[in-house]
C-alpha cells in the first residue's frame, strides 16, 4: 500500500516520517516476535534511515568494512543491507552505491538532507517499502498521540479520518500499545481512557507553563520547576534538578522531560551520569536537516559533559567543554593527542565525529556532523557556560561505553501511584487545552 494516498501535505509526511523514527528508538524494547513481524516494514525503514544518518557528513565512503559496520550498528544484517536497504535508500534518493564484481558493496555516497530533511527522506523510504494498512495505521496512531491526548474513541476516529479502514485503524492502535510507544491513562470524568505518548509535549512546549498553572499549586510548582530547568539548561544532571524524586521519575516516565544516561567502566569502577533535556520540540525539529528523534545532540553533549564531570582531577580532565567544542566547530578538528582513538568511539559510531590516527599513534578528532556539534555548543553554553582560564584538553579519563536513550530510561522506571497521579492530571489537563483549541482551530487540520 502506498502511503502517499493518505495525504500529500508536507506536514503529514513529516509527522509520519518522525513517527517511524520514534518507533525506531522504541524498537529495542519490542521483544514480542509476533509484533516484530507485524511491524517489520516500519522497523526496516527506521533502521535504513538510522544507517543513512550515521553516514551523513561523510559524503562518499569507499571502505566496504566501514559501510558494513555502520549497518551493523543500525541492526542491519549484511544480507538485508544488500537485498533491501541499499536498493530502497537509492530508490528514495537518499544514497547511491556501487557493487563490485562479486556482488558486494564497494562504496556508498550519501545524500542525506539534500532532497529533504531526514524526516522527509524517512517518509520517502517508507513509501518505497510499501507498508501494510495496519502499519500505516500504527504510524498515524503514533503521530496522533504525539499531537494531543484524546480518548480512545476520538483517537480511533482520527485514524479513520486519515483514510484508514476501521479494522486496520483498530489494529494499528493495538500495535501502538503492544510496542509501548502509546500509553493510556484513565479519566474518571470521561469514564474512558485517554491515549497519549511521551512525545506529546514537544508540540505544545511553549504552552506547558500555561496549562500546568491550571493544576493545584503543589502539583503545578513541582512539574513547572522541572520543565523550566530542562528547557533553560539542557544537559543538567538529574541530581541537580532537585525536587521530589518520585515526581521527577514520573515526569521522566510520561516524557515531560527526557533523560540520557552515560555509563563507563573504563576506570575499572562503574560510573554513570544522567542528564536532563527538554522534550523534542517538533516545530524547531522540522527546521533541521537532521532530527533530534535520533538523540544525537543529547549523545554529544552528554559525552562531553561526562568527560568534564567524571574525569579524575589532574589527569587530563576536559577543563572547559565550551572551549573544546568551539575549537572543533571552528577549526574542523582538534588534536593531536594519544587518547582520542579510545575516548570518542560512541560519537564515532554515530557518525558525529571521526578519529584520524597518525603513524606515531597520536590522533585528531575530526568534525563530521556540523549541525549536531553547533547545536550542542549552544546547549553547552546554556548549561555550563565557560570556565575562566579553561583549556581544550581532549582527555576523557573514563571514556563513555554506553548511552541509555530516553526510551530505554522510561522502560526501566517503576510505578509510583502518588506521583504518577500528578503527571496523569497534567496529561488530562493538556487534553482539556486541546479540546478548547479545537473549538477555534483543529490541531489535526491538514
Amino acid at each position: 500500500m502506498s502511503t502517499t494516498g493518505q495525504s500529500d501535505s508536507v506536514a503529514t509526511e513529516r509527522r509520519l516520517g518522525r513517527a517511524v523514527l520514534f518507533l525506531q528508538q522504541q524498537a529495542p524494547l519490542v521483544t514480542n516476535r509476533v509484533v516484530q513481524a507485524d511491524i517489520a516494514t516500519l522497523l526496516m525503514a527506521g533502521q535504513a534511515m538510522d544507517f543513512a544518518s550515521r553516514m551523513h557528513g561523510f559524503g562518499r565512503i569507499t571502505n566496504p568494512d566501514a559501510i558494513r559496520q555502520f549497518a551493523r550498528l543500525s541492526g542491519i544484517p549484511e544480507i538485508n543491507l544488500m537485498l533491501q536497504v541499499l536498493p530502497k535508500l537509492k530508490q528514495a534518493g537518499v544514497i547511491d552505491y556501487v557493487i563490485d564484481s562479486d556482488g558486494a558493496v564497494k562504496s556508498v555516497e550519501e545524500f542525506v538532507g539534500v532532497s529533504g530533511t531526514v524526516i522527509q527522506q524517512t517518509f520517502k523510504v517508507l513509501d518505497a517499502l510499501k507498508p501494510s494498512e495496519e502499519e500505516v495505521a500504527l504510524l498515524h496512531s503514533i503521530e496522533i498521540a504525539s499531537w494531543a491526548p484524546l480518548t480512545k474513541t476520538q483517537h480511533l476516529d482520527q485514524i479513520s479520518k486519515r483514510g484508514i479502514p476501521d479494522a486496520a485503524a483498530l489494529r494499528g492502535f493495538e500495535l501502538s500499545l503492544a510496542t509501548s510507544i502509546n500509553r493510556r491513562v484513565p479519566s474518571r470524568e470521561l469514564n474512558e481512557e485517554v491515549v497519549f505518548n511521551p512525545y506529546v509535549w514537544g508540540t505544545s512546549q511553549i504552552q506547558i507553563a500555561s496549562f500546568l498553572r491550571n493544576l493545584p499549586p503543589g502539583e503545578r510548582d513541582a512539574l513547572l520547576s522541572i520543565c523550566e530547568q530542562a528547557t533553560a539548561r539542557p544537559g543538567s544532571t538529574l541530581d541537580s534538578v532537585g525536587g521530589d524524586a518520585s515526581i521527577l521519575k514520573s515526569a521522566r516516565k510520561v516524557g515531560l522531560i527526557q533523560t540520557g544516561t552515560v555509563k563507563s567502566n573504563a576506570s575499572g569502577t562503574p560510573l554513570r551520569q544522567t542528564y536532563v533535556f527538554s522534550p523534542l520540540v517538533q516545530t524547531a525539529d522540522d527546521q533541521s536537516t537532521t532530527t533530534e528523534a535520533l538523540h544525537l545532540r543529547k549523545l554529544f553533549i552528554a559525552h562531553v559533559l561526562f568527560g568534564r564531570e567524571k574525569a579524575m582531577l589532574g589527569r587530563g580532565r576536559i577543563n572547559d567543554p565550551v572551549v573544546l567544542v568551539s575549537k572543533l566547530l571552528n577549526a574542523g578538528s582538534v588534536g593531536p593527542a594519544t587518547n582520542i582513538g579510545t575516548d570518542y568511539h560512541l560519537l564515532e559510531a554515530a557518525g558525529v565525529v571521526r578519529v584520524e590516527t597518525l603513524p606515531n599513534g597520536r590522533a585528531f578528532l575530526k568534525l563530521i556532523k556540523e549541525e549536531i556539534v553547533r547545536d550542542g555548543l549552544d546547549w553547552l553554553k546554556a548549561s555550563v557556560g565557560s570556565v575562566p582560564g579553561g583549556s581544550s584538553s581532549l582527555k576523557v579519563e573514563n571514556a563513555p561505553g554506553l548511552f541509555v536513550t530516553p526510551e530505554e530510561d522510561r522502560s526501566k522506571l517503576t510505578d509510583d501511584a502518588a506521583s504518577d497521579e500528578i503527571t496523569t492530571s497534567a496529561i488530562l489537563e493538556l487534553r482539556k487545552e486541546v479540546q478548547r483549541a479545537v473549538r477555534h482551530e483543529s490541531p489535526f487540520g491538514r
Side-chain angles (χ1 to χ4, degrees), residues 34-299:
V34 174
V35 174
Q36 290 173 347
D38 286 350
I39 63 174
T41 306
L42 304 184
L43 296 180
M44 184 178 295
Q47 288 175 328
M49 282 309 299
D50 183 82
F51 166 65
S53 176
R54 289 175 190 271
M55 296 187 296
H56 178 44
F58 286 92
R60 189 165 182 259
I61 301 178
T62 57
N63 184 335
D65 287 336
I67 296 167
R68 285 190 287 267
Q69 289 303 321
F70 276 131
R72 289 182 67 215
L73 290 166
S74 298
I76 303 171
E78 186 169 359
I79 187 170
N80 288 358
L81 177 69
M82 300 305 301
L83 295 180
Q84 296 174 303
V85 172
L86 290 178
K88 293 304 181 183
L89 285 172
K90 182 174 182 177
Q91 181 181 339
V94 179
I95 66 160
D96 196 5
Y97 64 98
V98 176
I99 301 297
D100 65 20
S101 57
D102 295 326
V105 62
K106 184 178 180 180
S107 66
V108 170
E109 185 172 8
E110 57 84 15
F111 305 115
V112 176
V114 175
S115 60
T117 65
V118 167
I119 53 178
Q120 288 172 316
Q121 290 181 323
T122 300
F123 179 85
K124 292 179 181 178
V125 172
L126 171 71
D127 200 37
L129 286 167
K130 307 301 180 188
S132 68
E133 280 187 333
E134 291 77 10
E135 288 177 308
V136 176
L138 168 57
L139 293 182
H140 281 301
S141 182
I142 293 170
E143 69 99 357
I144 290 166
S146 69
W147 189 249
L150 299 173
T151 65
K152 177 183 175 181
T153 301
Q154 293 170 328
H155 185 92
L156 288 171
D157 181 58
Q158 286 294 329
I159 299 176
S160 297
K161 284 182 177 179
R162 284 153 173 76
I164 305 293
D166 289 347
L170 179 59
R171 180 57 179 161
F173 170 69
E174 290 171 344
L175 286 169
S176 79
L177 299 179
T179 58
S180 298
I181 194 167
N182 280 358
R183 305 185 180 196
R184 297 173 292 184
V185 294
S187 170
R188 297 188 189 94
E189 178 184 351
L190 300 171
N191 195 31
E192 190 175 359
E193 291 176 322
V194 170
V195 180
F196 79 105
N197 68 41
Y199 308 103
V200 68
W201 313 102
T203 55
S204 305
Q205 180 67 21
I206 59 172
Q207 301 172 9
I208 282 180
S210 65
F211 77 74
L212 286 185
R213 289 195 178 96
N214 294 323
L215 298 176
E219 300 174 7
R220 174 198 64 206
D221 295 342
L223 292 176
L224 191 56
S225 174
I226 292 169
C227 294
E228 288 178 342
Q229 184 162 339
T231 301
R233 297 187 60 194
S236 297
T237 63
L238 186 64
D239 295 340
S240 71
V241 173
D244 187 294
S246 62
I247 294 178
L248 183 58
K249 182 177 72 173
S250 187
R252 291 158 66 189
K253 280 179 59 180
V254 300
L256 262 169
I257 59 172
Q258 294 188 344
T259 56
T261 300
V262 173
K263 296 182 179 180
S264 173
N265 290 309
S267 65
T269 302
L271 295 173
R272 61 183 293 151
Q273 185 65 278
T274 298
Y275 301 93
V276 176
F277 302 93
S278 180
L280 180 151
V281 182
Q282 294 185 18
T283 51
D285 196 56
D286 283 341
Q287 300 169 21
S288 298
T289 299
T290 56
T291 169
E292 193 48 24
L294 295 172
H295 305 311
L296 294 183
R297 292 164 182 81
K298 299 180 188 71
L299 173 65

Side-chain angles (χ1 to χ4, degrees), residues 290-413:
T290 56
T291 169
E292 193 48 24
L294 295 172
H295 305 311
L296 294 183
R297 292 164 182 81
K298 299 180 188 71
L299 173 65
F300 179 75
I301 192 173
H303 192 109
V304 175
L305 288 174
F306 189 82
R308 173 178 182 261
E309 295 159 2
K310 293 299 183 181
M312 297 172 64
L313 285 171
R315 296 185 63 183
R317 174 178 181 156
I318 296 178
N319 294 310
D320 188 347
V322 171
V323 173
L324 171 67
V325 176
S326 295
K327 184 176 180 180
L328 177 62
L329 185 62
N330 295 329
S333 69
V334 287
T338 55
N339 58 283
I340 291 177
T342 58
D343 286 357
Y344 292 89
H345 61 275
L346 279 181
L347 293 178
E348 208 177 2
V352 177
V353 297
R354 177 172 60 86
V355 173
E356 186 176 286
T357 305
L358 304 177
N360 62 6
R362 294 168 74 78
F364 283 86
L365 193 66
K366 298 284 189 177
L367 174 65
I368 299 297
K369 290 181 172 51
E370 180 179 343
E371 186 176 41
I372 300 301
V373 175
R374 183 177 63 249
D375 292 348
L377 178 59
D378 291 338
W379 286 12
L380 281 170
K381 288 178 178 177
S383 179
V384 301
S386 294
V387 178
S391 70
S392 59
S393 170
L394 292 165
K395 180 64 179 171
V396 181
E397 184 65 34
N398 298 293
L402 181 68
F403 180 70
V404 179
T405 66
E407 289 80 9
E408 293 174 279
D409 176 69
R410 286 194 289 266
S411 72
K412 296 174 182 176
L413 296 174

